[in-house]
Amino acid sequence: MRIRSMVTRVAIPAIAIGMIVSGCGSDDTQAGSSDIGVTNDINPKDPSTLRDGGNLRMSISSFPATFNYNHVDMDNDVATVIDPLMPTAFTSDAAGNLSVNHNYFTDIELTGTAPQQVTYTINPKAVWSDGTPITWEDLKAEADALAGAARGYQIASPSGFDRVDRVERGVDDRQAIVTFSTPYAEWKGQFSPLYPKAVNASPQAFNDLDRSSLAVSSGPFVITNIDRTQNRITLSRNPKWWGATPKLDTITFTVLDSSALLPGIQNNELDYASMSGLSNVTAARSAANVVVRHTPEPTWSHLTFNGAQGSVLADPRVRVAITKAIDRQAIVNATENGLVDNPKPLDNHIYMAGQKGYQDNSAPSAFDPKAAAAQLDALGWKLDGDVREKDGRKLVLRDVMYQQDLWVNVAQIVQQNLAAIGVKVDIQTYPGQGLFTDVIDPGNFDIAQFSWVGNPYPLGALEQIYAYDPNNRQGNDGRIGTPELNALIKQTMAELDPDKAIQLANQCDKMIWEEGFSLPLNQRPGNYAVRANLANIGAFGMASADWTKVGFLK
C-alpha cells in the first residue's frame, strides 16, 4: 500500500476473535508480537523472476462512497482501490522511514524554516492518465481546496494546508514551492494522494467529479471497469505509465462480506485477503497453495463515544466512568489469544506499540468498576432496578457496528461489563454499505465500533480526529473536544523538532483520555492469506507496496 497522510476508517475490526474449540488448535498459528517492527512479510522477489500477466483477485467491503480520498466521505475501501492509481509524495519502508516517491518527484526538499518552505520538483515524465503533465498547478489546486473548508469544500482533513500561505511556480511548470504561514510538522504527509487540478477546481467538482469513479488518475494501473451489478471494480495497466511495467495485467476488487473471505481463499476465488480470528488463520494455513503472512500494522480498533450536545454521553465525566467499567484486557485476551504472544490493549491514541513516541497514557480509563459506579452515583445517575436513571432518562447506550461476529462478540463483552454497573447496551448491527455515511457520520449512535487504518504520519490524526470544529468536524465522529485541546494540537502540529513534537503529542493524548474521547482496544496483528505463488505482496506492516513488482512466480 502507498502510505497516505490521513488515517482512514474501516468497518472491519482490527481485532481478531479466536473461536477456540478444544482439539481444534494448531501449532502452525505462529503467534508473534503485536508491536510494530522493522520487517515485513511479503515474499520479496526480483521482478525478473515473475511471469508477465495475470489477474490479482482482492476484496473490498463495499463500493467506495467516493473515489476522492480527500473528501469527508472517504473510507478504507477507497484507500484500497486508489492505492495503485494515484500519486503520493513519499513512500515508506517497513520501519516507517520515508523516501521521496521518485515515480512522481525527482526531489522534495525542506528549503526553509523561517518561514517553512518546501520545494517539490516533479518527475518530468509524470503525466495523468489522459496524457496531461502533472504540474505545480495540480499541487496549488489541492492545497487551495484542502484549505477551503470555509468555502464549502467537504474535506476529510486540511492535512496542514490551512497553514500554507502560498504555492508558487518554481523554475518551471514542473516545480512547486510551498510556503507556510505557520510551521507544519507532518509536511511529508502532504499531497498523498495528489489529485488533478480539475477535481479541486470548485467545491462542486471536489464533491462530484470523482464521486462514482476516477475521472483521471496517474499510476501503474487505471480503472477500466466498474460493474455495480457484479459488485466488481477492475484495474488494468495504464498505457500512459512511464515507470517500470507492472507484472500483473489486472487487479480485480470484488465487494464481499467478511464471512466470504475465508471461503474465497479456500475455493481459489481470491488471491489475497485479511484473516481475522485464530480459526480463520488456522483454516487459511490449511488451504491448498495458500500461505498466511504476518506483520503487525498500524491499524487499531476502538470504541468511539458520541459526546454531542444533548446526547446521553455529552458529559465527559460520564464517558470516563463508562471507560473505567470496560475490561479492555479481557477483550484482547479473548480476541488475540493464539495470534500474539502477549495480548495487551493499545494505550495511546496517537502512536502504535513499538512505534517511536508510544507510551501508556491510559490511567484515566484504568479498569475499575467500583470507581465507575461511584462516579455515576456522584453524577446523579442512580440505579432504578437494573438500569441507572437521571431526570427520567435511562442510561441506555446504542452500540453500532458492522454486521460481523467479531464486532458482535466484542460488543457482548462490553454489554456484560456495563450491565454490572447498571448501564444497558443495545447492540445494533449494519451492513458495510452506508455504515459511515448513514449511521456514524450523522451521529446516530452512543458507541460506534470501527477501526482506524494508520500510517507513518501519526501526528496527522491529531487534527483529523481529535481536534473539534463544529463547522468542520472532519473525522471527529463523536463531536468531542475542547478549546484547550485544540490549542495544544495546534502547538504540536507547528513543532518542527521531531522529539519535541512527540512530547507535545503525548500531552495531547493525556487530554484525549481525560475527555473520554474514545477507548482504544488493540492494533491489528496483521495476518493475510496469500496465494503461495504470489510475490511482493502480503503483510506490509508500515511499508508501501510497489504495485509494479506484485506478481506471480514463473
Side-chain angles (χ1 to χ4, degrees):
M1 58 182 175
R2 291 200 183 102
I3 303 300
R4 307 189 185 281
S5 59
M6 292 184 290
V7 291
T8 57
R9 303 179 300 182
V10 60
I12 297 174
I15 52 87
I17 296 290
M19 299 294 193
I20 302 173
V21 179
S22 178
C24 295
S26 169
D27 293 333
D28 194 29
T29 54
Q30 297 181 10
S33 170
S34 62
D35 289 359
I36 295 295
V38 296
T39 60
N40 59 16
D41 186 6
I42 62 170
N43 191 25
K45 299 292 182 183
D46 189 288
S48 64
T49 66
L50 307 182
R51 67 179 172 91
D52 289 323
N55 174 43
L56 175 65
R57 300 165 298 174
M58 299 171 62
S59 70
I60 51 178
S61 62
S62 63
F63 270 104
T66 177
F67 285 79
N68 182 354
Y69 179 86
N70 294 321
H71 193 279
V72 70
D73 289 342
M74 68 91 179
D75 57 28
N76 196 57
D77 286 320
V78 67
T80 299
V81 173
I82 71 170
D83 205 42
L85 304 174
M86 299 302 291
T88 59
F90 287 84
T91 60
S92 173
D93 66 14
N97 299 311
L98 301 171
S99 301
V100 174
N101 189 341
H102 288 297
N103 282 322
Y104 300 100
F105 298 94
T106 58
D107 198 14
I108 302 174
E109 291 185 283
L110 180 66
T111 48
T113 56
Q116 181 182 358
Q117 192 171 77
V118 182
T119 299
Y120 294 81
T121 303
I122 301 165
N123 185 333
K125 298 180 180 179
V127 297
W128 297 107
S129 57
D130 62 0
T132 304
I134 297 176
T135 73
W136 76 277
E137 293 181 325
D138 296 304
L139 280 72
K140 175 176 171 52
E142 182 155 301
D144 290 346
L146 296 186
R151 293 181 282 115
Y153 284 87
Q154 299 179 52
I155 63 173
S157 170
S159 299
F161 289 109
D162 52 344
R163 298 165 179 261
V164 169
D165 178 62
R166 61 191 183 275
V167 179
E168 299 172 294
R169 183 179 185 269
V171 295
D172 56 26
D173 284 349
R174 294 287 194 162
Q175 188 175 78
I177 301 173
V178 180
T179 303
F180 292 77
S181 56
T182 304
Y184 182 59
E186 291 282 35
W187 61 271
K188 289 185 178 181
Q190 295 184 313
F191 304 113
S192 293
L194 173 67
Y195 279 77
K197 61 183 180 182
V199 173
N200 298 302
S202 68
Q204 182 177 358
F206 188 81
N207 185 69
D208 297 337
L209 192 60
D210 284 344
R211 174 60 64 175
S212 58
S213 183
L214 279 174
V216 176
S217 58
S218 178
F221 291 86
V222 293
I223 295 175
T224 50
N225 188 48
I226 295 179
D227 188 336
R228 294 182 182 270
T229 302
Q230 296 294 321
N231 286 327
R232 190 166 291 136
I233 299 173
T234 302
L235 314 184
S236 303
R237 290 178 181 176
N238 177 6
K240 301 291 187 181
W241 177 245
W242 58 94
T245 301
K247 304 305 294 187
L248 297 168
D249 284 326
T250 55
I251 302 172
T252 302
F253 297 99
T254 302
V255 177
L256 293 173
D257 184 82
S258 62
S259 62
L261 298 184
L262 177 60
I265 287 291
Q266 292 172 320
N267 298 330
N268 196 20
E269 296 167 348
L270 290 174
D271 298 308
Y272 176 77
S274 174
M275 288 290 109
S276 293
L278 182 58
S279 59
N280 281 353
V281 170
T282 302
R285 290 189 190 280
S286 300
N289 302 313
V290 171
V291 294
V292 174
R293 306 202 178 278
H294 167 84
T295 302
E297 57 192 40
T299 297
W300 73 102
S301 293
H302 66 279
L303 311 178
T304 277
F305 301 108
N306 187 346
Q309 185 176 4
S311 69
V312 71
L313 296 179
D315 187 337
R317 297 170 298 176
V318 174
R319 296 195 299 269
V320 171
I322 294 296
T323 67
K324 290 179 181 291
I326 297 173
D327 190 348
R328 294 190 301 136
Q329 185 62 57
I331 290 174
V332 298
N333 286 344
T335 60
E336 292 196 331
N337 184 31
L339 293 173
V340 299
D341 294 328
N342 182 26
K344 54 190 176 183
L346 181 65
D347 292 322
N348 198 295
H349 291 82
I350 313 301
Y351 298 100
M352 298 292 98
Q355 191 173 24
K356 185 179 180 181
Y358 181 82
Q359 68 183 45
D360 182 353
N361 296 320
S362 65
S365 296
F367 182 55
D368 190 342
K370 289 184 178 179
Q375 188 165 333
L376 291 175
D377 284 335
L379 293 171
W381 288 97
K382 303 295 186 179
L383 274 174
D384 181 16
D386 294 330
V387 181
R388 293 178 180 273
E389 183 177 319
K390 180 180 180 181
D391 300 331
R393 189 177 193 180
K394 296 285 187 181
L395 193 47
V396 178
L397 307 180
R398 294 167 297 125
D399 186 2
V400 308
M401 70 213 68
Y402 177 48
Q403 172 56 61
Q404 186 182 47
D405 289 345
L406 308 186
W407 272 132
V408 173
N409 289 342
V410 170
Q412 288 171 342
I413 296 173
V414 172
Q415 187 181 54
Q416 293 167 5
N417 288 165
L418 295 184
I421 63 165
V423 179
K424 182 179 179 182
V425 174
D426 286 338
I427 299 172
Q428 300 180 1
T429 62
Y430 295 86
Q433 193 77 37
L435 172 63
F436 292 114
T437 55
D438 299 338
V439 181
I440 294 177
D441 288 346
N444 186 24
F445 68 93
D446 298 306
I447 302 174
Q449 297 182 191
F450 60 95
S451 297
W452 286 109
V453 180
N455 52 53
Y457 308 104
L459 299 185
L462 285 170
E463 286 189 312
Q464 183 187 350
I465 304 172
Y466 305 112
Y468 183 53
D469 176 355
N471 297 314
N472 179 31
R473 62 176 182 79
Q474 300 180 63
N476 190 331
D477 296 302
R479 297 158 173 82
I480 294 169
T482 66
E484 294 78 13
L485 178 57
N486 282 355
L488 186 57
I489 289 174
K490 185 175 182 179
Q491 180 185 353
T492 305
M493 298 309 298
E495 180 52 68
L496 295 181
D497 183 311
D499 293 331
K500 291 180 180 178
I502 286 173
Q503 295 175 7
L504 290 169
N506 274 300
Q507 292 180 32
C508 291
D509 187 49
K510 291 176 182 178
M511 294 178 69
I512 291 166
W513 283 99
E514 291 166 356
E515 280 293 306
F517 184 98
S518 62
L519 192 64
L521 297 176
N522 63 296
Q523 60 201 66
R524 187 193 293 269
N527 291 297
Y528 291 83
V530 189
R531 291 285 144 213
N533 64 338
L534 268 171
N536 300 318
I537 187 171
F540 287 103
M542 296 277 277
S544 311
D546 186 339
W547 289 102
T548 68
K549 295 181 178 180
V550 176
F552 294 91
L553 299 174
K554 291 180 180 178

